[in-house]
Amino acid sequence: MRLGLMVGYSGGRIDLPLNLILEADRLGYQAVWTSEAYGSDCITPLAWIGALTKQIKLGTGIMQMPARSPAMTAMTAMTLDQLSGGRVLLGLGLSGPQVVEGWHGRPYGKPLAKTREYVAIVRQILKREAPLVYQGEHYQIPYAGGDATGLGKPLKSIIHGRADMPIYLASIGPKNVALTAEIADGWLPMLFSPAHYQETYAAAVQAGFAKAADGKRRSDFDIAASAMVVIDDDREAACNQIKPVLALYIGGMGAKGRNFYYDLACRYGFEAAADTIQDLYLQGRKGEAIMAVPDALVDAVALVGSKARIRDRLQLWRDSPITTLNVTVFSLDALRFLAEELL
């Protein structure tokens, strides 16, 4: 199992954990992943990180597709890939309706069809086999709408991309996971629970493999799951560091009826708790929402407690089909401990 380091997105000010990143590079972590929501973007920090590191891969976890045209995504990825010596892992995702429509001003509808077309266009650009032409339901290149000038012409990227640059997709729902397994090189599941993989994800992943044009096998597909890790002999204290994040995602990352993380918690068997968390959070009672997160849910998606306890619980992750464990850690001690156990 490979290890990756998740550094997420920044709050009010950008504060990259460079001590963790540089040590992860030295220890042999496979990748460092940055994120974006509606503040800092995920590419600029990676450019900074790439200039300061030697071998660790640079993963976008994720670039929001509605924020960029497919061509802009490809251009950005190729630029950073060349500057870093071929270290980019291109993670893409749709985000959710609140961000897509409320921040980027783009319609969210038909996410599966849009994702399929978007990835196909990015791959065409990276391969650089011919000038770009694509006629889909959501993307037409060259543009030929009613307000077109008629002057657009097919173009081929000036910069030479890496044709086999890995493309990852972030997905949660069964149909999105199946599409990811079909068209992507890797999957970035958030709030992943290894104990619930079989009943929650396995059928969707296999369905995607079955539809893949190239006879894809599990060995061709990187399941790069993320997990928060808190080492503390006081398990309750460790759990309490994770609960605010789970309350935020389950309670506040989406409107009622359109929150993918709430849906996921329900599929894991925590429907009653998810209802309570969401109701409290949407009422503005965030502290109570945090307190309503069960310890069992924390244990399902994170690694918390003493080193001995985490060492035992790591077996669940080893026994699951994930191939990369992307960890969020808060100390050099935790970063080094995981390297000792897994690398």
Side-chain angles (χ1 to χ4, degrees), residues 15-234:
D15 185 19
L16 291 174
L18 288 175
N19 61 329
L20 297 177
I21 294 166
L22 295 175
E23 182 68 354
D25 187 34
R26 187 189 72 81
L27 290 170
Y29 275 61
Q30 193 239 4
V32 55
W33 299 84
T34 57
S35 305
E36 59 188 22
Y38 39 92
S40 61
D41 75 288
C42 67
I43 284 289
T44 309
L46 280 183
W48 191 276
I49 292 166
L52 297 173
T53 53
K54 297 178 180 179
Q55 60 185 4
I56 198 166
K57 296 186 184 299
L58 309 172
T60 59
I62 46 85
M63 289 179 80
Q64 296 173 6
M65 291 186 283
R68 305 166 177 87
S69 70
M72 188 68 245
T73 288
M75 290 165 63
T76 304
M78 288 187 293
T79 303
L80 182 57
D81 198 55
Q82 281 207 8
L83 288 172
S84 65
R87 287 195 274 157
V88 168
L89 303 175
L90 180 55
L92 304 174
L94 281 166
S95 189
Q98 287 184 321
V99 172
V100 173
E101 297 183 0
W103 182 246
H104 296 301
R106 304 294 300 166
Y108 184 79
K110 299 187 177 180
L112 292 172
K114 288 177 180 175
T115 299
R116 184 181 294 277
E117 292 187 12
Y118 198 103
V119 171
I121 295 167
V122 171
R123 288 202 189 277
Q124 280 192 37
I125 295 171
L126 294 177
K127 288 179 181 177
R128 205 174 169 273
E129 293 173 345
L132 177 63
V133 176
Y134 190 90
Q135 293 300 313
E137 178 184 357
H138 303 283
Y139 297 97
Q140 298 86 40
I141 305 171
Y143 178 67
D147 55 348
T149 64
L151 300 176
K153 68 174 186 178
L155 299 170
K156 185 163 62 172
S157 172
I158 298 170
I159 190 173
H160 290 229
R162 181 162 51 104
D164 61 350
M165 183 187 298
I167 295 178
Y168 290 69
L169 289 175
S171 52
I172 294 176
K175 291 182 179 178
N176 285 294
V177 171
L179 179 66
T180 299
E182 178 189 351
I183 68 173
D185 302 296
W187 172 33
L188 295 168
M190 189 173 179
L191 301 188
F192 181 86
S193 171
H196 295 88
Y197 174 81
Q198 286 300 323
E199 66 267 30
T200 306
Y201 292 123
V205 171
Q206 289 304 318
F209 288 170
K211 288 187 67 177
D214 55 358
K216 184 180 290 184
R217 298 167 298 175
R218 182 174 290 176
S219 59
D220 303 320
F221 188 65
D222 184 16
I223 300 179
S226 60
M228 293 172 283
V229 182
V230 177
I231 298 175
D232 194 319
D233 290 339
D234 184 338

Side-chain angles (χ1 to χ4, degrees), residues 284-295:
R285 297 158 65 184
K286 296 180 182 179
E288 293 173 74
I290 291 168
M291 292 174 63
V293 176
D295 288 355

